[in-house]
Structures are given as structure tokens and as C-alpha cells.
Amino acid sequence: MKILVCISNVPDTTSKINFTGDNKEFDKNGVQYVINPWDEYALTRAIELKEAKGGSVTVLNVGEADAEPNIRKALAIGADDAIRVNAHPKDAFFVAQQITAVAKEGGYDMILMGKESIDYNGFQVHNMVGEMMGIPSVTPAFKLDMVDDSTARLEREIEGGKEVVEVKLPFVASAQQPMCEPRIPNMRGIMTARTKPLKVVEATGGEAKSEYVNYSKPEKKSGVKLIEPENAGELIKLLRNEAKVL
Amino acid sequence: MSVLVFVEGLNGEIKKSSLEAASYGSQVAQAMGTTATAVAIGEVHEEALAKLGEQGISKVLYDADDRLKQFVADAYVKVIATAAQQESAKVLVFSNSNIGAAVGSKLAVRLNGSLATNVTELPKIDGGNFTVTRGVFSGKAFADVNLTSDVKIIAVKKNSTDIISNGGSTATVEKLSADLAESDFAAAPKETVMQDTGGGVLLPEAEIVVSGGRGMKGPENWHLIEELAKELGAATACSKPVSDIGWRPHHEHVGQTGITVSPNLYIAAGISGAIQHLAGVNSSKVIVVINKDPEAPFFKAADYGIVGDALEVLPKLIEAAKALDK
């Protein structure tokens, strides 16, 4: 089974988010980058399936060279090889086109990724790839197992419940917890990752359909109003009469 | 040219998040000097559809095909694409739900349109520019995005748009029939299991959320969370550690890798407020934090706080909530 796992290189959750150039660009200064936490679920589940059923796991990133340390980290966790499409990921549509081009060329049985990236929070790419390739996309999935060699069984979250879906290979799925327990690389993994193949390919044309023009930050909270625990009931009155949310 | 809004039903009624999408869509239509049409699929009462007139919708297209009672992405996409073509829709509006965003993404490919999800404000339409604001960096920032294609698709973040109410206005309801083939149902779910909310409120749709963390000390104390939620008409939620150790089910976990909520009121009891948790709740309008540790980071993000043991504070809140005029 050939599995393609798409990963994004994103600012660590604890990063301070700032913008430069008149709020037109994200300020990378001092920001630590990590594998998108949602993508880690997809990656680990792919490796688990490979260990159980055989096959290979290829990691794909659409991004610039500064993503390579995290691509190597994915290899250290257990992916076999990696592809980086050398391009600035302009928007979801652009990224989906790049993934589709790589996926068509490689003939993968399964294309997995996280349900969204924690930087642009799009929740778009997986369904776009499914549509571009004309194969099912099951998102967001929190369970993924093989029924037999050609059929997978997934459970996906819908508002207020879940759906159980069985699809034939190939398909696209996006992952969310509790699909698996994400792994961290061990020493042996880190050593072998250095020699695993990482291929860099150029973007295949592809257009963006949106344009990020400006960023802003939410207004700062004015500070917490503390109520004494003995008078906790006062809070309910404040919520009704002052905050007007009850 | 028109604006098309996709509305989702639940138990025959229109979901609150879809009433918000309808209100958003009709305001966009007004700004563009056109009308807003809604498209509904599956099991929704016709009276509920006609009532969309109150949100400024003039016409509703309704596909009542029995096979569409459960969500099937490819079939839904085809129905909405049929409606979009029939109405020459240039702007399509969805709720930013798992269904809305999924169908919107597929339609963006099929209709060659620009898509923005997690949209928090009405668009600015200025000459050739159509700009929307969307939440990015897990609630830590907003981005203004130009949608450059002819067709624009917008998924509106829940609880970011006020529901308009033009009392008494009704929409005309017309049947819509898309040419659905067996193959459109290839990825249909084998089974749909809805959570038992015990008559309570569904978390993703809730205006008020009462959430508990490890400070609740054990699942046996959750009746306090549930009781306060019931008094306030709220949904219940929990932090990641609580769902990880199995005190509460995973679908209640709010935070970075769980559900993102943006209610009017978020009450956190015994949750310290790790940055991963904040990422899931930071766009709540009012945040209340109850924690016995005055240094808990959550107090920095809170509007109201009580420094005290959640197990002692919650019964007082329940008592005060019971005394409220409802």
C-alpha cells in the first residue's frame, strides 16, 4: 500500500503572532516551526498502517526550503521518503493543485493529511484534492482501518454525531484526534532520516484564487474582573446585567 | 446573478448556524443589489423553509430526495451546483461547519471559484475588489483576503453574524430536482450515529458552553457542570486531559486539536488555560474562569474570574442560575 501524507510547516502553538511591513506579512522572526499538529495524526496513522500491512509512506510538503527540518523530522518518525514542491503555498487551491499533480504521478492508494493547518485554519485542501482527483474525500476522520486490501473503513465527525464510511482505494482523508497517538522520533529514526531520499520538485504552474492583503489582531481584553468565591452568585447577575449574555 | 445560501437542517428545523449564513447571504445580496436564494437538502419542514424570509431570503429551493437525508458529499455538491447554475449565483454562502466547509471546498473546484472559510465579517465590496475577513492562526489573528475569481464561496464562522429577523416575511419554496446518479452515492455513510445530548444543546451550535478540566477532580463531579449547563441552556465541554483520561468523550474536547467553539459565553471550571486550550475558545465573546490557582494563565484571557475551588463555586452558581427569571 502506497500512502502519501501531506504536511504543513507551521508556527508552533505557543508562538507570538506578529506581522510586519504595514501588517501585510507574517513576521517569522523568532518563530519556531513545527509539523502541523493535525498532520501528525495522519503521519502516525499512515506509519501504523504500513507496519501492519506493508507498503510505503511518502511525505509531501508544498513549501520553501525552510520546511526541510520538519520534513526530515517526519522521515525520522518513520516515513520512507519525501517530496517538497518548491513554492510558497499561496492559498488552499494552489496547494491542492500541487498535491494533486504529485498524487497523480505517484499513484498512491491513500492520501492523508490533517483536518486543517493551525496557521491558516482552512479545512479546504483535502476536499479540493478529492474533487480534483475525482476520488472520495472523507473528512474529518478520527478512525481509519482497512477492511480488506481494497477497502478502508473510516469514522468521520459530523456536528452532533459521527458517520461510518467505507470507501474503496484510492481516497483522500483528513485526520483529527483520537485517530492515534502521534509519535516522536527516536535516535535511530533521526540517524536514518538523514539518508532517506528528499526530492525537490518545482511547482506545476497552478493559480491561486485568493490573495492575502492584510492582517490584524483581535482587540486585547480589558482585563479580568474578579469576584470573591463567597459571592459567586454575583457572577450570574453580572453576566445578565453587565455582559448581557444570559 | 444572485446570492445562494446553503442551509442545513436538524430534526426538521434549520440550524442556528444556517440562520446566520442566511442572514449573511441576504446582506451580501442587498449590498450587490440582488436577491438571496437558499438551497435546502434532506429533512426540513416546509414551514421552517418559508420562515427563512425573516432572514431576508426570497426563495428557497428544496430537494427532498430521500437518499439525501444523510450527508453524502458528492450528491450534496451536485444539488447545490444545480441550484447555483439555475440561479446564476455569483456568491455562495455556507456555514463553516464540517458539512458546509466540505461542500464549499468541492464546489470551489467544480465552479472554479474562490473560497474563504472561517469568515467573520461581511465582505467589503469596492469596485472590482471583493474582500472578506477570516480568522487565522487559531484565533490569534484575522486576515483580509481578496476573492479573485468570478464565483465567490464563503463559509461563515459560527456565532459571528447576528441573525436578522424581518418578522412575518416568508420565502417562496420551490422543489428542486438534481439529476442524481447512483455513483453520486458511492461514498454514502453506512451508518450515522448521533450523540445523545439528553435533550441538551449540541456543542458546535451552542451559545453558552460550560466546560470542565482536571480541577473537577473526577467524572463523578460532572453533575455540577451538567446542572449549571442545564440551568443556562448551555452545552457541556471539557479540556484535552479530561478526554484523554476518559472522564468525558472525545467529542466534548475543545482546544487546538479538538473542537473550536465561539459561543457568547464560555465558562471554564478547573481548567488552567494551556495555550492549546485557548486556541479552541479564544473567540468566545465572554470568558469566565473558575480556578483555585490565581496564577492560572486562563485568567489573562478571561473577562470574569473567580479564584476558588470549582467544586465549591459551581453549586453557588447553580443556585444563582436557578433564581434567574427565565
Side-chain angles (χ1 to χ4, degrees):
Chain A
M1 197 160 52
K2 284 182 74 177
I3 308 177
L4 182 68
V5 178
C6 310
I7 63 168
S8 293
N9 189 45
V10 300
D12 175 50
T13 308
T14 57
S15 304
K16 292 254 182 301
I17 301 300
N18 289 305
F19 301 98
T20 57
D22 201 18
N23 284 328
K24 297 211 178 323
E25 259 175 76
F26 175 63
D27 185 359
K28 291 185 172 183
N29 212 349
V31 171
Q32 190 80 18
Y33 279 78
V34 295
I35 299 174
N36 177 40
W38 300 97
D39 297 339
E40 288 188 342
Y41 290 97
L43 175 63
T44 301
R45 189 65 192 134
I47 293 165
E48 289 172 356
L49 286 172
K50 180 192 84 166
E51 287 167 352
K53 309 269 175 195
S56 63
V57 175
T58 300
V59 171
L60 169 62
N61 170 260
V62 179
E64 284 149 320
D66 56 6
E68 292 203 356
N70 279 323
I71 300 175
R72 287 279 172 211
K73 188 181 167 198
L75 292 169
I77 291 170
D80 299 286
D81 61 340
I83 301 168
R84 180 170 68 82
V85 176
N86 184 33
H88 173 66
K90 287 179 259 185
D91 74 349
F93 198 89
F94 174 83
V95 172
Q97 285 172 307
Q98 304 308 321
I99 293 172
T100 300
V102 170
K104 280 188 172 157
E105 170 116 12
Y108 298 93
D109 298 306
M110 219 184 266
I111 303 164
L112 304 180
M113 64 192 82
K115 80 161 201 175
E116 66 184 49
S117 68
I118 63 165
D119 52 1
Y120 284 88
N121 305 105
F123 190 65
Q124 301 178 6
V125 173
H126 30 78
N127 279 303
M128 288 181 172
V129 171
E131 186 72 19
M132 286 173 184
M133 298 197 60
I135 59 177
S137 47
V138 184
T139 72
F142 58 87
K143 209 164 184 303
L144 162 59
D145 293 291
M146 295 303 293
V147 180
D148 55 42
D149 288 345
S150 63
T151 316
R153 182 183 169 94
L154 299 105
E155 292 186 13
R156 68 181 290 267
E157 186 178 283
I158 53 171
E159 274 80 3
K162 66 169 184 183
E163 287 176 351
V164 182
V165 187
E166 283 190 8
V167 286
K168 292 278 176 206
L169 306 179
F171 66 90
V172 183
S174 76
Q176 72 167 45
Q177 75 145 16
M179 182 174 269
C180 56
E181 194 54 49
R183 291 186 190 177
I184 51 169
N186 58 29
M187 204 26 123
R188 192 171 162 271
I190 293 167
M191 299 304 286
T192 52
R194 291 184 190 162
T195 53
K196 286 180 178 171
L198 192 171
K199 189 166 82 175
V200 178
V201 299
E202 290 307 314
T204 51
E207 40 168 349
K209 295 199 171 287
S210 55
E211 198 178 36
Y212 281 78
V213 287
N214 197 43
Y215 295 91
S216 59
K217 294 210 273 187
E219 279 173 41
K220 277 222 166 63
K221 295 247 178 190
S222 56
V224 59
K225 187 171 202 168
L226 288 175
I227 295 112
E228 291 303 318
E230 301 76 61
N231 301 329
E234 272 305 301
L235 171 69
I236 298 290
K237 287 183 197 148
L238 286 169
L239 291 174
R240 167 161 288 186
N241 302 325
E242 188 178 84
K244 300 193 188 335
V245 288
L246 286 182
Chain B
M1 185 187 78
S2 76
V3 173
L4 186 71
V5 182
F6 171 60
V7 294
E8 298 173 42
L10 182 72
N11 304 325
E13 301 296 329
I14 311 270
K15 282 186 184 175
K16 173 177 169 271
S17 50
S18 285
L19 295 178
E20 292 166 5
S23 303
Y24 186 103
S26 67
Q27 289 176 81
V28 175
Q30 201 171 27
M32 294 171 70
T34 178
T35 56
T37 300
V39 55
I41 298 175
E43 245 179 331
V44 195
H45 300 313
E46 291 215 13
E47 309 84 80
L49 295 176
K51 261 186 86 176
L52 281 167
E54 297 192 358
Q55 282 74 52
I57 299 292
S58 41
K59 179 166 72 179
V60 182
L61 302 172
Y62 179 41
D63 192 330
D65 191 324
D66 257 357
R67 296 171 295 176
L68 297 169
K69 278 185 184 167
Q70 52 183 2
F71 173 61
V72 186
D74 290 325
Y76 275 46
V77 165
K78 203 177 216 181
V79 174
I80 299 167
T82 304
Q85 194 178 18
Q86 188 179 315
E87 296 294 306
S88 310
K90 288 286 176 237
V91 178
L92 279 72
V93 180
F94 296 82
S95 162
N96 195 44
S97 64
N98 283 348
I99 290 177
V103 173
S105 303
K106 285 173 156 285
L107 283 163
V109 175
R110 203 166 291 193
L111 305 176
N112 208 16
S114 294
L115 169 66
T117 50
N118 211 22
V119 170
T120 55
E121 281 174 36
L122 285 167
K124 291 175 193 75
I125 305 168
D126 175 17
N129 283 340
F130 189 104
T131 312
V132 294
T133 302
R134 60 183 301 268
V136 291
F137 295 101
S138 300
K140 288 191 232 172
F142 298 100
D144 295 335
V145 186
N146 279 343
L147 302 184
T148 50
S149 300
D150 196 27
V151 173
K152 293 135 187 21
I153 304 175
I154 298 169
V156 186
K157 184 179 168 114
K158 288 173 191 168
N159 211 27
S160 62
T161 308
D162 290 331
I163 296 173
I164 314 176
S165 189
N166 305 324
S169 306
T170 53
T172 56
V173 181
E174 290 174 20
K175 287 272 186 284
L176 171 73
S177 183
D179 196 9
L180 294 171
E182 265 319 298
S183 59
D184 296 317
F185 293 89
K190 290 187 80 76
E191 195 190 344
T192 304
V193 186
M194 296 310 282
Q195 289 151 20
D196 179 12
T197 56
V201 183
L202 214 53
L203 179 56
E205 292 279 309
E207 288 185 43
I208 303 175
V209 175
V210 182
S211 189
R214 264 191 303 200
M216 291 301 295
K217 301 206 175 72
E220 67 278 7
N221 296 321
W222 233 263
H223 65 96
L224 293 171
I225 299 280
E226 280 162 352
E227 243 178 283
L228 181 60
K230 191 171 155 241
E231 287 304 325
L232 301 177
T236 58
C238 69
S239 65
K240 183 169 192 291
V242 162
S243 71
D244 281 352
I245 48 182
W247 291 0
R248 301 298 293 175
H250 269 291
H251 61 73
E252 278 205 357
H253 156 211
V254 292
Q256 172 117 306
T257 49
I259 293 183
T260 303
V261 294
S262 50
N264 292 336
L265 174 60
Y266 185 79
I267 300 178
I271 301 177
S272 63
I275 198 142
Q276 288 82 356
H277 186 76
L278 291 179
V281 305
N282 56 13
S283 52
S284 305
K285 296 201 172 101
V286 174
I287 294 179
V288 172
V289 172
I290 303 157
N291 203 297
K292 66 178 182 197
D293 176 10
E295 301 298 317
F298 216 157
F299 283 116
K300 289 203 179 78
D303 300 280
Y304 296 95
I306 297 179
V307 180
D309 187 332
L311 300 184
E312 287 163 25
V313 171
L314 284 172
K316 295 199 176 95
L317 296 183
I318 293 165
E319 201 184 318
K322 279 187 174 150
L324 277 181
D325 303 325
K326 302 247 160 59

